[in-house]
Amino acid sequence: MGDAKLVWDQSFQLTENFRVEVKVYEVEPTEKYQEGIKARFVLIDMERNLARLLVDNHAPYGFHIHTGLPEDKTTRVTLNAKDFYEAFEEFINEAERIVKNEK
């Protein structure tokens, strides 16, 4: 990946039992990260200490969401996001839906 510049690093409690971790890097554009951005947004279930939702970006998928976690790490749904801000909005919407259904 070469030199990466951290442009967004945030972690916050969404609810008592769920935490969100956000990391976005500017990277040298490569075949894997063609936009020059490497992003990762994770919803963590604190009680079970595992990821429940993940958005990341890399070729050949671009921005995509892993909705089958923790059981199925290979399920991906491509997002219609033109940048990491839009991808984050979609991630938060899905994270809030998951949290609401846990109650």
Side-chain angles (χ1 to χ4, degrees):
M1 187 168 64
D3 292 329
K5 178 183 174 190
L6 185 62
V7 295
W8 191 4
D9 182 8
Q10 186 176 13
S11 179
F12 60 90
Q13 291 295 129
L14 191 58
T15 67
E16 182 179 325
N17 297 324
F18 288 91
R19 184 177 79 240
V20 169
E21 294 181 356
V22 176
K23 289 212 188 270
V24 177
Y25 296 90
E26 282 182 5
V27 298
E28 193 69 35
T30 63
E31 191 172 317
K32 186 172 184 178
Y33 299 107
Q34 296 173 0
E35 303 87 12
I37 292 292
K38 178 181 179 187
R40 185 172 189 272
F41 315 136
V42 186
L43 176 67
I44 299 173
D45 180 330
M46 304 283 286
E47 285 184 0
R48 299 183 338 183
N49 194 32
L50 48 83
R52 289 288 305 277
L53 185 68
L54 168 68
V55 166
D56 61 344
N57 69 307
H58 53 79
Y61 310 104
F63 286 103
H64 58 280
I65 191 163
H66 295 262
T67 57
L69 298 178
E71 294 82 14
D72 182 1
K73 296 180 173 141
T74 62
T75 300
R76 294 177 179 93
V77 177
T78 301
L79 299 177
N80 292 323
K82 63 182 178 226
D83 58 29
F84 65 85
Y85 297 109
E86 286 186 7
F88 181 73
E89 285 181 32
E90 292 191 46
F91 166 79
I92 284 296
N93 289 338
E94 183 64 16
E96 288 174 344
R97 187 193 65 75
I98 288 170
V99 168
K100 181 180 176 184
N101 289 333
E102 288 290 314
K103 294 179 181 181

